[in-house]
Amino acid sequence: MAEGLTLDTLRISRDGSPLLALDAHVPPGEVLTVMGPSGSGKSTLLAAIIGTLDPAFTLSGRILLDGRDITRLPPEARHAGILFQEELLFPHLSVGGNLAFALPPGIRGRAARRARIDAALEDIGLPGYFDRDPETLSGGQKARVALMRMLLAEPCALLLDEPFSRLDAALRGQIRDLVFARARARALPVLLVTHDAQDAEAAGGPVIALG
């Protein structure tokens, strides 16, 4: 059984016209970067992996995660985490509430859940932020909370949909390093889609160019 994320003869087409064809394996703790201009199929590829592919597209081949065929599973059964360009924090919840939303159901009891969240906030350099309104956070702080919320859900793979593109240059490098370090520490295979060559260079892994 191959650990990591495997795209086995993955083919996506629309109205009979091929959009992309990909064969790739991303081992645990490594990053595969997929680059290409708008319309080349980068976001469509991520949608296929997380299970939200528009019915207008036709998919063939297999998507394997740690040897498990997830191609036809519903999104919640795939255990793939994703970070988008926008943090998408819930505005009606506190920072702690946003993190609590992602906790696995196996963590029971208010004290145990609070302890897990406090440890997570400490881990990303935001101790004491449990009760903060997400709207009061800086862009970098929002990005860190979004990352930790995704990690608390204990995904088996990490998908990155240009999550650094809205950050300024200095913050971009800092958050990028944080994301890659956390993925390596947890041995998560990472698929990064971007049009930025610096992101690809920082990822340090193989690069596939689309379109």
Side-chain angles (χ1 to χ4, degrees):
M1 182 179 76
E3 297 292 312
L5 176 66
T6 303
L7 307 178
D8 179 21
T9 60
L10 195 69
R11 306 289 183 264
I12 300 177
S13 60
R14 182 166 188 170
D15 299 327
S17 300
L19 177 64
L20 64 85
L22 210 56
D23 289 275
H25 176 68
V26 191
E30 296 193 14
V31 184
L32 170 65
T33 300
V34 176
M35 298 188 70
S38 297
S40 60
K42 300 190 304 296
S43 293
T44 303
L45 171 63
L46 293 182
I49 296 172
I50 64 174
T52 60
L53 187 66
D54 190 298
F57 293 93
T58 302
L59 172 69
S60 64
R62 296 189 303 161
I63 303 165
L64 304 173
L65 188 49
D66 293 336
R68 187 173 62 110
D69 189 341
I70 65 170
T71 316
R72 306 299 171 190
L73 295 180
E76 64 274 11
R78 297 191 180 207
H79 303 297
I82 187 166
L83 289 177
F84 297 99
Q85 292 181 31
E86 298 185 9
E87 299 85 8
L88 303 178
L89 299 179
F90 300 122
H92 63 290
L93 296 177
S94 66
V95 168
N98 268 274
L99 296 182
F101 184 84
L103 285 177
I107 302 176
R108 299 170 183 263
R110 180 176 297 180
R113 293 172 70 84
R114 176 62 188 254
R116 185 69 172 268
I117 294 168
D118 285 342
L121 288 170
E122 185 80 35
D123 188 34
I124 55 174
L126 297 175
Y129 275 61
F130 188 97
D131 294 319
R132 284 282 292 269
D133 182 339
E135 286 304 307
T136 68
L137 303 183
S138 67
Q141 290 169 336
K142 288 179 180 178
R144 280 184 271 168
V145 172
L147 168 64
M148 185 51 67
R149 183 179 64 180
M150 186 275 303
L151 292 176
L152 283 173
E154 300 180 352
C156 297
L158 174 53
L159 310 178
L160 303 175
D161 189 2
E162 306 201 43
F164 317 118
S165 61
R166 298 174 69 246
L167 303 171
D168 63 53
L171 196 55
R172 184 176 188 137
Q174 180 188 86
I175 297 300
R176 189 169 54 202
D177 290 348
L178 177 68
V179 170
F180 293 151
R182 290 298 184 276
R184 283 193 298 271
R186 295 169 184 246
L188 295 176
V190 180
L191 180 64
L192 165 68
V193 301
T194 184
H195 60 266
D196 189 283
Q198 289 186 334
D199 285 350
E201 184 178 353
V207 178
I208 294 175
L210 299 179

